[in-house]
């Protein structure tokens, strides 16, 4: 397959608010995504002068981003897209089995597939990120879920900080949420926050004549739910506080960070509201600014005192609009109190390393002076494994969206391990121009494997040039991979069995992957081993985490303490998905916004203590 390489000359459709910065600010926040954007607003609303730096522009008024229904177009849009070309393993032969491997043909097009034209340059597996005010919350599917309780409690166990206990973390959901789907007063939710949450109409599930409802009822039977109750079960609150919630296999009504009209709600809205508030909070936003490193004082324990930046659009080489050779002058901006890095799981470790914080041998390789030897920076990269089963019915399968979390037989604990959403769509991962459209008869169950057992990935420098993109290798299934693959295959088998309830004239489904044909189990071509190999080579992901992880004092790989402070230096924190020691549940965007609120409290408490 070929897709057009978007022109490097197209200008981003933004209205920048690039104000000349003051000499210094109390706080500098690097990155406006789910971690940094809300944090900067909270600090400014507490009265502290705060500079929020974003490498991209502002697309808040662009319908492609504002309308949640066009999220696929947003993720493909070069106005904000940064293309990270990643690896899934250290095995080049295995990499070349990935069906959506992407190549630069040299003639202005991408080739996606396994048989590139002569002379094509292998780029890798596309992992798009968003350089825009609001970060990846501006191009994602806006799915809101909570981590498993153990994902919070792992921090308690490692650090002894009981403020991270799962039952205490819910208050940050309530603090940021503006719930639009339940009557006011529900004790599990918030109604006065900045983040709108809504959910869709699932009344279709009460229509037993639909193929989708027949599939739904079979899924209920296979996961221990009452098929007669599916109409009610489908409206279960996915953010509810249930006893032993992580052990419940259940349908849910998918919640999204959007309002009732389908308008995306994100840090973009909160930043804009803070800037426009008549109280004139001391927030300054600086767009189209690439942070090249953090500046430190020359003390026995170095203190972060500011950042060095380049100003200009498309300076980072992951930007498809970047023009080779483009540079910009370096300038410095000072912080009176702290610098907070919120660049995400790829860029936060890169910024720390460029600043002299990271594995000493790696920094010395590129002649970067070592400020603090922290071997965990850029290591322990983790992500959920994702895969899908996709088939074509004989006619369209009338169905709304089915959202289900369930436990497979080989899960290592009583906790559920698969999050799936099913319906008449296709989703097979990410590549330029995704997703493929197989027509009205397509039907997919996309799966997220929760709690992956391997954290062997890395984000490593290729040079000391801040415009270069780091080398990113997830090393999928490196540790205990056979266990994870078995769980994924069990999930696929359950979902495939449920599909057979669709009945004629939808049946037989012609499966496209991971197996092939109208009866793949019966003809012996869809063994568990065949499926496991397919998922191993075709798994994809978009929930990167843990490259600047919180950990205990005795953990040599710990980068942060429980208050997000970078170990061994002062005045520097990291607040984003890279902070999590493990991937937080099935989708990390809501948990990242929650820890942003927690970090704001921690930072303000420290500032108050020091001034008191």
């Amino acid at each position: 397959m070929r897709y057009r390489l978007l022109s490097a000359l197209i200008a981003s459709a933004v209205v920048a608010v690039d104000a000349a910065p003051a000499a210094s600010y109390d706080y500098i926040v690097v990155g406006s995504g789910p971690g940094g954007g809300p944090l900067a607003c909270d600090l400014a609303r507490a009265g502290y002068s705060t500079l929020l730096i974003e490498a991209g522009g502002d697309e808040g008024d662009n319908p492609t981003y504002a309308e949640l229904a066009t999220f696929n177009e947003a993720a493909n849009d070069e106005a904000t897209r940064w293309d990270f070309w990643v690896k899934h393993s250290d095995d080049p032969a295995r990499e070349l089995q990935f069906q959506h491997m992407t190549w630069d043909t040299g003639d202005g097009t991408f080739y996606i597939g396994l048989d590139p034209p002569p002379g094509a340059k292998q780029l890798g597996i596309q992992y798009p990120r968003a350089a825009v005010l609001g970060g990846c919350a501006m191009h994602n599917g806006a799915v809101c879920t909570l981590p498993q309780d153990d994902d919070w409690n792992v921090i308690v166990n490692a650090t002894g900080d009981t403020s991270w206990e799962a039952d205490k973390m819910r208050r940050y959901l309530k603090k940021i949420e503006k719930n639009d789907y339940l009557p006011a007063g529900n004790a599990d939710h918030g109604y006065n926050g900045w983040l709108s949450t809504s959910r869709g109409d699932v009344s279709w599930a009460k229509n037993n004549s639909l193929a989708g409802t027949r599939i739904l009822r079979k899924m209920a039977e296979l996961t221990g739910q009452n098929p007669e109750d599916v109409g009610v079960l489908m409206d279960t609150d996915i953010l509810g506080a249930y006893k032993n919630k992580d052990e419940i296999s259940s349908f849910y009504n998918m919640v999204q960070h959007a309002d009732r009209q389908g308008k995306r709600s994100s840090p973009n809205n909160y930043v804009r509201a803070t800037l426009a508030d008549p109280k004139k909070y001391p927030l300054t936003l600086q767009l189209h600014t690439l942070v090249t490193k953090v500046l430190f004082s020359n003390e026995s324990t170095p203190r972060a005192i500011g950042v060095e930046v380049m100003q200009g659009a498309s300076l980072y080489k992951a930007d498809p609009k970047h023009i080779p050779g483009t540079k910009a002058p370096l300038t410095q901006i000072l912080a009176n109190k702290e610098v907070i890095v919120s660049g995400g799981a790829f860029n936060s470790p890169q910024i720390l390393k460029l600043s002299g914080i990271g594995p000493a041998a790696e920094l010395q390789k590129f002649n970067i002076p070592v400020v603090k030897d922290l071997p965990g920076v850029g290591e322990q990269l983790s992500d959920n494994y994702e895969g899908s089963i996709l088939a074509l019915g004989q006619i369209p399968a009338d169905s709304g969206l089915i959202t289900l979390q369930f436990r497979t037989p080989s899960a290592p604990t009583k906790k559920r391990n698969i999050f799936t959403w099913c319906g008449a769509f296709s989703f097979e991962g990410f590549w330029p121009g995704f997703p493929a459209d197989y027509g009205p008869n397509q039907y997919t169950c996309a799966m997220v494997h929760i709690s992956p057992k391997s954290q062997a990935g890395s984000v490593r420098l290729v040079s000391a040039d801040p415009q270069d993109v780091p080398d990113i290798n997830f090393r999928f299934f490196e540790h205990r991979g056979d266990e994870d693959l078995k769980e994924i295959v069990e999930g696929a088998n359950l979902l495939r069995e449920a599909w057979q309830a669709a009945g004629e004239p939808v049946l037989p489904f012609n499966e496209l992957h991971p197996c092939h044909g109208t009866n793949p189990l019966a003809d012996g071509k869809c063994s568990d081993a065949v499926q496991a190999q397919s998922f191993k080579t075709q798994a994809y992901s978009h929930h990167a985490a843990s490259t600047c992880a919180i950990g205990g004092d005795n953990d040599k790989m710990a980068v942060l303490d429980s208050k997000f402070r970078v170990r061994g230096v002062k005045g520097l924190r990291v607040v984003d998905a890279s902070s999590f020691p493990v991937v937080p549940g099935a989708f990390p965007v809501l948990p990242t916004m929650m820890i942003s609120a927690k970090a704001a409290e921690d930072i303000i408490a420290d500032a108050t203590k020091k001034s008191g």
Side-chain angles (χ1 to χ4, degrees), residues 161-189:
D161 186 343
T162 58
S163 69
W164 284 92
E165 290 174 350
D167 60 344
K168 295 177 182 176
M169 290 302 295
R170 175 166 286 272
R171 74 182 184 90
Y172 296 108
L173 167 65
K174 296 169 69 173
K175 182 175 183 178
I176 68 175
E177 186 184 23
K178 182 182 178 182
N179 187 287
D180 282 344
Y181 65 88
L182 290 172
N186 185 300
D188 294 347
H189 290 278

Side-chain angles (χ1 to χ4, degrees), residues 41-58:
C41 294
D42 288 347
L43 293 174
R45 287 171 181 261
Y48 297 101
S49 63
T50 304
L51 174 65
L52 176 60
I53 298 176
E54 168 57 49
D58 180 7

Side-chain angles (χ1 to χ4, degrees), residues 297-573:
S297 64
N298 186 15
E299 305 176 39
S300 56
T301 301
R303 175 180 294 278
I305 58 172
V307 294
E308 179 183 83
V309 303
M310 292 181 180
Q311 289 183 266
S314 304
L315 291 171
Y316 196 54
K317 293 179 183 178
D319 191 325
K321 304 182 301 300
H322 176 78
I323 299 173
T326 302
K327 298 283 185 182
L330 295 173
T331 58
Q332 296 183 348
I333 310 171
L334 301 181
N336 299 322
K337 294 183 180 294
E338 293 188 17
V339 174
I340 301 104
V341 178
S342 301
F346 298 158
N347 291 105
S348 285
Q350 181 181 20
I351 291 170
L352 291 190
K353 289 179 180 184
L354 293 170
S355 308
I357 297 176
E362 182 180 350
L363 304 184
Q364 291 163 353
K365 177 181 177 181
F366 299 109
N367 298 314
I368 298 172
V370 177
V371 173
K372 177 62 180 179
D373 179 12
L374 281 182
V377 176
E379 300 300 308
Q380 301 184 114
L381 173 63
S382 184
D383 210 330
N384 294 317
Y385 301 125
E386 297 185 55
S388 60
I389 54 173
L390 170 65
L392 303 179
Q394 301 305 304
I395 67 168
D398 292 333
S399 175
L401 185 69
I402 298 172
T403 301
L404 170 67
Q405 294 190 74
F406 65 98
R407 180 188 181 276
T408 67
S410 68
T413 69
K414 294 181 179 180
K415 295 178 175 60
R416 59 199 180 193
N417 55 334
I418 299 292
F419 183 112
T420 187
W421 63 106
C422 306
F425 63 89
S426 73
F427 183 65
E428 304 164 274
F430 300 90
W431 64 90
F434 85 96
D437 184 355
Y438 296 93
N441 294 2
Q442 63 191 5
Y443 196 86
T444 297
C445 281
M447 295 185 293
V448 174
H449 177 260
I450 303 170
S451 300
K453 299 173 187 62
S454 184
Q455 291 186 263
S458 61
V459 177
R460 294 173 183 166
L461 298 178
V462 298
S463 77
D465 184 346
Q467 294 178 272
D468 281 344
V469 181
D471 178 75
I472 301 166
N473 190 335
F474 282 90
R475 297 184 183 84
F476 276 177
F477 304 107
E478 187 92 352
H479 303 300
R480 300 175 64 186
D482 289 345
E483 297 174 42
D484 283 341
L485 286 166
K486 184 177 182 181
E487 295 170 34
I488 295 168
V489 170
E490 289 173 344
N493 285 339
L494 182 148
L495 296 170
R496 185 184 294 106
E497 181 178 351
W499 284 8
Q500 307 316 309
E504 295 181 349
V506 174
L507 294 182
F509 275 115
N510 181 20
E511 187 169 331
L512 303 185
H513 64 70
C515 298
H516 305 279
T518 56
N519 199 1
L521 294 179
D523 64 18
K525 296 180 181 178
C526 192
S527 67
D528 286 359
V530 167
Q531 292 187 72
Q533 181 62 20
S534 176
F535 284 120
K536 183 175 183 178
T537 57
Q538 305 308 318
Y540 50 88
S541 65
H542 60 302
H543 302 155
S546 307
T547 49
C548 298
I550 294 170
D553 293 343
N554 297 323
D555 181 0
K556 69 176 183 178
M557 299 302 287
V559 177
L560 311 176
D561 68 11
S562 67
K563 305 297 185 185
F564 305 92
R565 295 175 292 213
V566 176
R567 292 179 174 275
V569 298
K570 297 179 181 178
L572 180 63
R573 304 191 203 221

